[in-house]
């Protein structure tokens, strides 16, 4: 496309804001990723958390704890069917549950003794001594066989839709066939940063929007085992990589579940409310036991603008989802479905969990209405004792909630196409719940207590007064507000440990915690925390929960379908010298500083791996291993640090713990960064940064 010079844009698109903000994020990250969510009041204005908790406002500051939680029972039932747990069953000795003895020199990431990587500000991926890493896929690398080689000066939407998208987030790896040499890498491409992707003056405004829509979405990429054990690379012959796939902001999705056909999901282009074009703002995700991938549509609200007024029928609903019509991407310029004044329902068709079957490259991916609509971080599935499946999910907004879904049907473990097809329907029927946490007081020197999963709706019956099944599913946040759940500090990944069966939630931060609308409670106890402006600078106090928590949930009776659970604040993150920090009772002189946990994963021995986003301790973000059982419980050790201004995403451990995949998202994203003036050039293959997926493995 050729347009007149006057229609070409000038940089920067983003007005540079007032320096560092929430976490260590740049204004640019806030702008492009979450539509400056933190500049707006919390959309949750409900009275929940004004609190019937025994501790309540007395909890201003954490005391130091010495006790460690007891060991949980091992939940084995059904887990061997989970791809991750299958790996666990293969190699887990009975005594090692995330607390295995450390071994020097081994290539087993679950056991290896390593010297933690020191906090740093390098423009590099730094892995622990004795380990190496390779870049597997970069923004622009060809995915489909007919994709051209990436040329940053000759980008076209057609090529972009065949190349690896921008800002990789979730990472999942599925074995392919029986050869054990091939696998499928599945990634999310959460958002784009137009300031950094396009040479100034090279592309028109319309071209930029078409390009960015194509760089969003997801990728499926065949990878092949490398010569060094644990290493992987893209399979070289793309003509044979028949599962390779790009999903973009225009790929057709099938809506499934009870809300299909609801009036509020119908648009001019889709009179049946059944087919949605595209997915975007996909953050984290999870593998299902039937070999598909779930992915969360998160900050979708920022993609919609308005040419006139907002539809008054949806004033409360839009407000609760942060939908203001001030979306800055301007996609409505090329597609009117992003104009709320023209198409008030299109925005209701985002904010879902999507499911992609990597083995069916021609099958339309799904959007599951039964899993509710909110700012979905991700979704992780476990098979319960009775073979129903349970999905744990977080709504990543300050002061929002944690959810779970329990299926009506049961998982069929048969390795047949028929069983797989049946399993793929499990997320269409069942019950959606929201979590309420009750503290038991701090006399026990622990932030812990019990919890309830409050039912919101089944596929046939709503449990919320005045709301139908579809009301609950399409406007889940408003439904949850009515039943008294606990406001949390931005629930991100919520994942199930395949070895001990407990559930681990990353609560990344909340600068508002402790104010009038979001008071502290025992599950969210910090109203101040210690931060550092730069490495070498002293810690200073800041309001709210700035460094985040890891919360550990134990389903009652180790039954994930139970409506009650126990909980324990396992980690209060931060610099270990800060008094409020807590590492499950582990010696604080022997842990790495950690700030803003976001994505979590497990190795086959049940160690927890934590990726961070927005470190406020003066260092780059990183990836940490944490034992959750035994003498090492709470030992946080940094294994990888990120390049400048990058966030760590998607950790995924596979191949008998020899391969650690992770995504480097938004390297070099700063308020001053443009294509011509980058603040990072990682991975240093070009003179501009390229978000990429890496794999770390033992050096040979
Ligand atoms: Fe995309 Fe919740 O981070
Ligand atoms: Ca307690
Ligand atoms: Ca995230």
């Amino acid at each position: 496309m050729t347009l007149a010079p006057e229609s070409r844009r000038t940089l920067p698109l983003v007005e540079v804001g007032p320096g560092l903000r929430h976490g260590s994020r740049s204004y640019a990250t806030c702008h492009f990723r979450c539509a400056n969510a933190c500049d707006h009041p919390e959309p949750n204005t409900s009275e929940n958390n004004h609190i019937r908790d025994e501790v309540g406002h007395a909890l201003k500051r954490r005391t130091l704890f010495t006790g460690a939680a007891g060991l949980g029972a091992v939940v084995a039932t059904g887990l061997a069917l989970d791809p991750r747990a299958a790996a666990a069953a293969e190699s887990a000795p009975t005594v090692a549950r995330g607390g295995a003895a450390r071994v020097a020199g081994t290539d087993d990431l679950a056991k290896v003794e390593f010297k933690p990587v020191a906090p740093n500000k390098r423009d590099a991926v730094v892995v622990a001594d004795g380990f190496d890493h390779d870049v597997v896929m970069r923004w622009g690398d060809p995915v489909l066989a007919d994709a051209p080689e990436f040329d940053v000066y000759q980008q076209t939407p057609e090529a972009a839709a065949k190349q690896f998208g921008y800002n990789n987030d979730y990472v999942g790896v599925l074995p392919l066939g029986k050869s054990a040499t091939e696998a499928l890498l599945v990634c999310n491409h959460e958002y784009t940063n137009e300031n950094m992707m396009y040479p100034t003056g090279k592309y028109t405004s319309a071209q930029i929007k078409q390009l960015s829509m194509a760089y969003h979405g997801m990728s499926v990429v065949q990878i092949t085992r490398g010569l060094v054990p644990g290493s992987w690379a893209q399979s070289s012959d793309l003509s044979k990589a028949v599962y390779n796939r790009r999903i973009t902001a225009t790929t057709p999705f099938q809506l499934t579940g009870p809300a299909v056909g609801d009036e509020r999901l119908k648009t001019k282009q889709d009179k049946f409310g059944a087919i949605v074009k595209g997915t975007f703002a996909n953050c984290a995700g999870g593998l299902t036991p039937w070999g598909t991938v779930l992915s969360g549509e998160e900050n979708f609200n920022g993609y919609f603008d308005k040419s006139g007024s907002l539809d008054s029928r949806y004033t409360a609903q839009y407000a609760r989802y942060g939908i203001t019509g001030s979306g800055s991407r301007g996609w409505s310029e090329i597609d009117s479905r992003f104009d709320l004044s023209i198409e008030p329902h299109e925005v209701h068709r985002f904010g879902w969990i999507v499911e992609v079957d990597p083995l069916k490259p021609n099958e339309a991916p799904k959007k599951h209405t039964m899993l509710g609509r909110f700012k979905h971080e991700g979704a992780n599935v476990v098979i319960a004792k009775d073979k129903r499946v349970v999905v744990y999910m977080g709504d990543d907004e300050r002061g929002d909630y944690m959810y779970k879904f329990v299926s009506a049907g049961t998982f069929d473990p048969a390795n047949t196409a028929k069983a797989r097809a049946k399993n793929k329907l499990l997320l269409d029927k069942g019950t959606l719940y929201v979590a309420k946490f009750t503290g038991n007081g701090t006399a026990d020197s622990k932030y812990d207590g019990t919890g309830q999963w409050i039912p919101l709706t089944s596929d046939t019956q709503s449990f919320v007064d005045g709301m139908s099944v579809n009301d609950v599913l399409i406007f889940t946040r408003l439904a949850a507000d009515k039943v008294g759940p606990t406001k949390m500090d931005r629930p991100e990944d919520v994942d199930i440990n395949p070895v001990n069966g407990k559930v681990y939630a990353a609560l990344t931060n909340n600068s508002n915690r402790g104010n009038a609308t979001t008071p502290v409670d025992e599950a969210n106890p910090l109203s101040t925390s210690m931060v550092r402006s730069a490495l070498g600078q002293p810690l200073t106090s800041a309001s709210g929960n700035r460094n985040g928590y890891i919360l550990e949930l134990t389903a009652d009776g180790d039954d994930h379908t139970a409506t009650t659970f126990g909980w324990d604040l396992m980690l209060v993150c931060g610099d270990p010298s800060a008094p409020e920090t807590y590492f499950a009772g582990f010696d604080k002189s022997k842990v790495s500083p950690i700030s803003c946990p976001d994505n979590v994963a497990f190795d086959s021995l049940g160690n927890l791996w934590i990726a961070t986003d927005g470190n406020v301790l003066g260092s780059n973000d990183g990836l940490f291993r944490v034992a959750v059982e035994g003498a090492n419980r709470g030992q946080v050790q940094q294994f990888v640090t990120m390049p400048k201004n990058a966030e760590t995403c998607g950790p995924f451990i596979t191949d008998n713990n020899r391969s650690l995949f992770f995504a480097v998202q938004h390297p070099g994203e700063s308020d001053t960064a443009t294509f011509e003036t980058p603040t990072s050039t990682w991975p240093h293959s070009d003179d501009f940064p390229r978000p990429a997926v890496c794999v770390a493995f033992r050096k040979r």
Side-chain angles (χ1 to χ4, degrees):
M1 182 189 309
T2 308
L3 287 191
E6 62 271 23
S7 68
R8 296 176 191 274
R9 74 179 180 88
T10 53
L11 287 168
L13 278 178
V14 175
E15 295 291 322
V16 174
L20 293 184
R21 301 146 48 82
H22 313 288
S24 60
R25 271 189 193 171
S26 63
Y27 182 86
T29 302
C30 295
H31 172 89
F32 286 111
R33 202 245 295 278
C34 59
N36 300 320
C38 297
D39 280 349
H40 303 289
E42 282 180 20
N44 187 353
T45 56
S46 70
E47 295 280 302
N48 296 322
N49 264 41
H50 284 266
I51 191 166
R52 304 151 290 274
D53 192 297
E54 296 92 309
V55 184
H57 295 250
L59 280 168
K60 289 290 183 205
R61 193 69 172 256
R62 184 178 191 97
T63 52
L64 293 178
F65 294 147
T66 52
L71 298 182
V74 175
V75 178
T77 311
L79 279 171
L81 300 163
D82 181 300
R84 293 164 304 174
E90 182 186 327
S91 59
T94 51
V95 293
R97 294 171 198 154
R102 303 297 184 222
V103 180
T106 176
D107 61 4
D108 186 330
L109 289 154
K111 293 180 182 169
V112 69
E113 185 177 80
F114 66 91
K115 184 175 169 221
V117 178
N120 66 74
K121 293 291 283 181
R122 293 176 56 188
D123 191 27
V125 166
V126 182
V127 295
D129 281 350
F131 286 81
D132 220 333
H133 78 281
D134 282 342
V135 172
V136 180
M137 288 298 291
R138 299 165 300 177
W139 166 47
D141 283 342
V143 170
L144 302 185
D146 57 347
E149 286 299 318
F150 183 61
D151 179 344
V152 79
Y153 296 100
Q154 303 292 334
Q155 301 180 60
T156 66
E158 296 74 24
K162 298 173 181 176
Q163 295 166 331
F164 201 63
Y166 201 74
N167 268 347
N168 30 222
D169 196 311
Y170 172 74
V171 173
V173 178
L174 286 154
L176 184 58
K178 293 180 179 160
S179 70
T181 63
E182 304 294 310
L184 294 178
L185 172 74
V186 185
C187 299
N188 289 345
H189 302 293
E190 187 180 16
Y191 72 103
T192 49
N193 179 323
E194 285 71 12
N195 286 2
M196 295 168 61
M197 297 167 69
Y198 308 118
T200 302
K202 180 72 190 162
Y203 303 104
T204 66
S205 171
Q207 283 173 322
I208 284 170
K209 289 166 179 71
Q210 290 170 331
L211 285 165
S212 290
M213 287 173 81
Y215 287 129
H216 275 74
M218 300 175 72
S219 289
V220 179
V221 180
Q222 187 172 334
I223 55 173
T224 304
R225 187 183 293 284
L227 290 176
V228 178
S231 69
W232 294 81
Q234 186 183 17
S235 306
S236 54
D237 187 350
L238 291 184
S239 69
K240 293 186 178 148
V242 296
Y243 299 106
N244 280 15
R245 180 178 195 179
R246 273 305 318 286
I247 290 167
T248 73
T250 56
T251 303
F253 278 69
Q254 179 191 352
L255 279 167
T256 74
V260 175
D262 188 280
E263 284 302 315
R264 296 158 295 183
L265 298 179
K266 293 178 181 172
T267 65
K268 293 179 184 69
Q269 290 182 21
D270 176 24
K271 297 198 175 349
F272 299 103
I275 305 289
V276 180
K277 272 167 72 176
T279 192
F280 42 80
N282 300 75
C283 198
L287 297 185
T288 67
W290 47 94
T292 63
V293 174
L294 303 179
S295 163
E297 294 180 335
E298 193 190 28
N299 294 301
F300 63 94
N301 55 314
Y303 289 73
F304 294 83
D305 53 30
K306 63 177 194 279
S307 57
S309 52
L310 292 176
D311 192 318
S312 59
R313 290 174 296 173
Y314 302 116
T315 301
Q317 289 85 347
Y318 283 165
R320 187 64 180 83
Y321 284 83
I323 298 160
T324 60
S326 61
S328 55
R329 292 184 179 273
W331 284 6
S332 62
E333 181 188 323
I334 60 166
D335 190 339
S336 62
R337 69 192 171 110
F338 295 104
D339 183 336
L340 290 159
S341 309
I342 294 173
E343 197 60 274
H345 291 168
E346 184 71 6
V347 72
H348 299 153
R349 291 140 63 86
F350 294 85
W352 301 104
I353 290 292
V354 306
E355 182 176 16
V356 174
D357 187 343
L359 297 178
K360 303 266 186 185
N362 298 316
E363 182 179 284
K366 296 173 181 172
K367 297 200 180 201
H368 285 295
T369 64
M370 190 64 234
L371 298 180
R373 177 170 164 268
F374 41 91
K375 290 190 184 176
H376 276 288
E377 170 72 17
N380 287 289
V381 185
V382 65
I383 301 165
K385 288 176 175 179
D386 67 359
K387 302 280 191 270
R388 286 184 286 167
V389 300
V390 179
V391 187
Y392 287 95
M393 301 173 282
D395 183 351
D396 181 6
E397 182 102 44
R398 294 174 301 167
D400 258 294
Y401 310 130
M402 288 169 56
Y403 296 84
K404 83 167 178 182
F405 163 82
V406 180
S407 68
T410 55
F411 177 72
D412 184 343
N415 186 22
T416 63
K418 191 175 165 193
R420 192 162 186 271
K422 195 174 133 216
N423 290 331
K424 281 167 69 174
L425 301 174
L426 285 171
L427 305 185
D428 293 340
K429 291 183 178 173
T431 303
L432 183 66
Y433 299 85
V434 66
K436 173 184 165 69
F437 296 80
T438 304
N440 65 8
T442 50
D444 59 359
S445 291
K446 289 169 68 69
Y447 288 138
D448 62 351
T450 55
Q452 254 182 289
W453 289 108
I454 305 169
L456 293 171
T457 190
S458 74
D459 49 293
T460 56
Q461 181 188 1
S462 167
F463 304 110
V464 180
D465 283 348
M467 295 182 82
S468 69
V469 171
N470 287 359
D471 291 344
V472 174
L473 296 179
I474 299 170
F475 303 114
T476 308
R477 282 182 166 184
L478 289 125
D481 289 344
K482 293 187 166 197
V483 300
T486 302
K487 292 181 174 180
M488 307 301 285
D489 287 351
R490 295 188 51 206
E492 302 238 33
D493 261 1
V494 187
D495 204 353
I496 308 98
N497 187 321
V499 178
N500 70 7
K502 295 184 185 183
V503 173
Y504 294 80
L507 301 158
T508 201
N509 59 40
N510 184 351
S511 52
N512 282 351
R513 181 61 71 175
N515 73 11
T517 56
T518 319
V520 293
D521 59 57
E522 191 167 344
N524 301 278
L526 291 186
S527 57
T528 60
S529 28
M530 302 302 279
V531 301
R532 176 181 285 119
S533 60
L535 283 174
Q537 295 300 305
L539 290 167
T540 57
S541 180
S543 60
N545 162 22
R546 298 297 180 121
N547 291 295
Y549 310 126
I550 295 291
L551 185 63
E552 185 182 59
L553 277 61
T554 306
D556 275 2
D558 295 319
D559 176 2
H560 288 283
T561 70
T563 54
T564 50
F565 59 89
W567 62 269
D568 177 28
L569 212 50
M570 180 185 163
L571 299 182
V572 175
C573 299
D575 188 287
S577 68
E580 75 274 14
T581 58
Y582 175 66
F583 300 87
F586 194 81
D587 182 347
K588 298 208 316 181
S589 70
K590 293 179 179 158
V591 300
S592 299
I594 181 171
S595 179
C596 303
D598 184 340
N599 299 135
V600 300
F602 302 93
D603 58 47
S604 72
L605 297 187
N607 289 295
L608 173 66
W609 292 75
I610 303 172
T612 69
D613 167 19
N615 184 308
V616 286
L617 300 172
S619 165
N620 290 349
D621 276 314
L623 185 50
F624 301 77
R625 186 183 71 183
V626 191
V628 300
E629 303 276 9
N632 294 324
R633 175 176 159 85
Q635 183 187 25
V636 172
Q637 296 179 293
Q638 184 150 238
F639 190 79
V640 187
T641 53
M642 291 294 105
K644 278 185 190 169
N645 307 117
E647 151 184 1
T648 332
C649 294
F652 192 94
I653 299 99
T654 187
D655 198 8
N656 289 316
N657 302 325
R658 286 183 300 191
S659 307
L660 169 62
F661 287 85
F662 55 91
V664 178
Q665 199 193 49
H666 60 76
E669 185 164 74
S670 71
D671 296 342
T672 57
T674 66
F675 178 80
E676 288 78 16
T677 58
T679 49
S680 162
T681 54
W682 188 88
H684 311 304
S685 54
D686 303 89
D687 53 10
F688 54 92
R690 294 172 74 172
V693 173
C694 296
V695 62
F697 49 87
R698 184 90 208 170
K699 197 180 273 180
R700 299 281 162 168

